[in-house]
Amino acid sequence: MRHYQGLSADARRRLFQQEPEEIDVDADAATLSTALGATLYMPATRPQLADDLIRRAVRDDVVSAVVCLEDAVPDELVEQAQENAVAQLRDLGARGGGPLVFVRVRRPEQIGEIVRGLGEHRGVLRGFVLPKFTARTGAAFLDALDDTAQTEGTRLWGMPLIESPEMIHRETRDEALLGVQRLLDKHRSSVLAVRTGATDLCGAYGIRRGRDLTIYDVRLVADVLMAVVNVLGRTDGSGFTVTGPVWEYFTGEERLFKPRLREAPFQEHDAVALRAELITRALDGLIREVVLDKANGLTGKTVIHPSHVPVVHALSVVTHEEHADAQDILRGTSSGVAASSYGNKMNEARPHRAWAERIMVRARAFGVAREEIGLVDLLTEAVSR
């Protein structure tokens, strides 16, 4: 898998000082989970699912996708949707290509049923998203995952999804998260990333955020995200990659507040029309939320529309300045405290080291932009494809 492979060689040379690397699908969890980027959800009922997955990989740089058998499928259609997913994934396996595919199941038993149904094409499946994950419900999912992987002789990753009411209710949150941490630690070799489900968390209180707000403006849910990172996203060897929640909007409507995208960067790049398009498609809100995801320790994002993918990936490219700082910190040139190479900030070797290590992993997956290249350049190239 490789990000931005749809760009021409000239475009990649123009944009990147260090181009995105080819990431082995059997890479370690830290590398592979970072490389997932924008993970596109698709309902398992799609009749042309294999075609859709291949098309999105080629046209939209989708490198990871989730085929959903849970909330995206009505209860009465689950069996039919599962049969369709197996048939379509067998087709995808026979044809080759496409993104890394995961299936979001409802029941632990579906893990074995789906892998056995894929037969000789089981290698097309990277793993499963485990819904409504708690210490009480999660053990059965993880046991089914490990048992199926061993029985069928295939590598399967699990991505637990934190979205249950126990996680948002204040009196149960701490105990629930610590229970999840203990359970995941026992199955560490099978856990790729921890996903977060903001829509279900909002639903527990009858909340739905508008396009003018990020999830961090919804304090009930923001508190849960921060608790998840606090317990499950630590960089001391006990944590996991925690991914950002879904952004629900993909078209415009009447707005109450002004857009927060500054005009100057777009004017400087003769990209005023691009700014207008981003605002019309509600992507300015997504941009802000991804920036806040990164600032709060989340990596990558769940997306439900192809237009979201280039935004998430453009914001995942390591800037020239970030890379310079990370290199200084990891090379030890910042012994103790020293000014950055850019001369605009302090680099402190010990507390910034974990940050620098994460930057280098992201640089492998998404590349390093040239010094003169910014977000507008990357968005212009991606959106114009």
Side-chain angles (χ1 to χ4, degrees):
M1 56 182 288
R2 185 182 185 186
H3 283 286
Y4 288 103
Q5 62 180 349
L7 294 183
S8 68
D10 286 344
R12 287 199 299 271
R13 283 192 294 269
R14 179 173 59 81
L15 295 173
F16 294 102
Q17 173 182 287
Q18 173 185 315
E19 292 188 21
E21 297 180 16
E22 187 85 29
I23 302 297
D24 195 314
V25 296
D26 294 318
D28 62 276
T31 300
L32 192 60
S33 61
T34 299
L36 294 177
T39 300
L40 180 64
Y41 270 54
M42 294 183 175
T45 50
R46 286 198 177 194
Q48 304 298 323
L49 182 61
D51 290 337
D52 293 339
L53 288 167
I54 292 172
R55 183 169 62 253
R56 295 308 174 193
V58 173
R59 288 178 50 183
D60 302 301
D61 191 34
V62 173
V63 302
S64 64
V66 172
V67 177
C68 186
L69 285 165
E70 213 227 357
D71 289 343
V73 177
D75 294 345
E76 67 273 15
L77 295 181
V78 172
E79 184 175 348
Q80 178 183 332
Q82 182 171 327
E83 292 174 357
N84 181 65
V86 170
Q88 292 291 324
L89 292 180
R90 285 180 62 88
D91 182 24
L92 182 66
R95 294 160 63 181
L100 302 185
V101 178
F102 302 81
V103 175
R104 180 181 179 183
V105 290
R106 291 189 177 210
R107 301 176 287 104
E109 297 78 16
Q110 289 177 304
I111 292 174
E113 293 169 2
I114 290 168
V115 174
R116 288 190 295 272
L118 291 174
E120 70 273 22
H121 298 299
R122 59 185 176 273
V124 75
L125 188 62
R126 290 293 117 192
F128 294 87
V129 174
L130 314 177
K132 312 292 190 293
F133 196 92
T134 67
R136 177 176 52 83
T137 64
F141 282 104
L142 289 170
D143 287 343
L145 186 80
D146 291 344
D147 291 346
T148 301
Q150 183 174 4
T151 301
E152 300 299 323
T154 189
R155 182 74 163 95
L156 293 173
W157 288 108
M159 292 197 287
L161 182 53
I162 305 300
E163 56 181 349
S164 63
E166 293 97 317
M167 301 302 174
I168 198 168
H169 293 161
R170 188 64 188 86
E171 69 274 16
T172 55
R173 181 188 309 156
D174 292 346
E175 182 180 350
L177 281 173
L178 289 170
V180 167
Q181 195 279 332
R182 289 189 291 267
L183 177 59
L184 294 185
D185 191 52
K186 293 178 183 178
H187 295 264
R188 179 168 295 275
S189 62
S190 301
V191 179
L192 179 58
V194 174
R195 306 203 74 88
T196 53
T199 302
D200 278 43
L201 293 171
C202 284
Y205 282 87
I207 295 170
R208 185 173 190 179
R209 73 185 187 274
R211 60 170 283 181
D212 288 308
L213 303 175
T214 72
I215 199 62
Y216 297 95
D217 296 308
V218 183
R219 293 301 303 274
L220 275 170
V221 179
D223 287 351
V224 178
L225 296 179
M226 294 307 91
V228 171
V229 173
N230 193 327
V231 177
L232 302 178
R234 300 177 186 182
T235 58
D236 59 0
S238 68
F240 305 87
T241 296
V242 180
T243 68
V246 69
W247 174 257
E248 298 178 348
Y249 295 91
F250 48 85
T251 190
E253 61 183 35
E254 185 177 356
R255 304 184 66 135
L256 182 61
F257 301 110
K258 290 182 178 181
R260 295 186 178 181
L261 282 181
R262 292 179 58 237
E263 295 182 8
F266 293 88
Q267 291 172 340
E268 291 169 3
H269 291 77
D270 195 23
V272 175
L274 172 63
R275 179 178 181 272
E277 182 179 0
L278 294 173
I279 293 169
T280 299
R281 295 161 67 182
L283 296 176
D284 57 316
L286 173 61
I287 290 171
R288 180 167 177 78
E289 187 163 290
V290 174
V291 169
L292 291 171
D293 285 341
K294 290 165 60 180
N296 285 286
L298 287 80
T299 301
K301 201 164 187 65
T302 296
V303 300
I304 45 82
H305 196 273
S307 65
H308 298 172
V309 176
V311 173
V312 176
H313 289 173
L315 285 159
S316 299
V317 173
V318 173
T319 68
H320 186 274
E321 183 173 349
E322 287 175 323
H323 193 248
D325 287 339
Q327 283 184 314
D328 285 348
I329 292 164
L330 295 176
R331 281 196 303 241
T333 55
S334 296
S335 179
V337 180
S340 69
S341 300
Y342 272 64
N344 59 1
K345 72 178 75 64
M346 173 191 75
N347 282 336
E348 193 167 349
R350 194 167 296 168
H352 288 152
R353 185 173 187 84
W355 169 86
E357 290 171 346
R358 294 178 70 175
I359 288 293
M360 289 306 190
V361 174
R362 183 151 56 89
R364 288 186 58 201
F366 291 95
V368 180
R370 292 192 178 277
E371 186 171 6
E372 68 278 10
I373 296 298
L375 177 62
V376 175
D377 301 288
L378 293 165
L379 285 173
T380 299
E381 188 67 47
V383 173
S384 65
R385 288 179 57 196

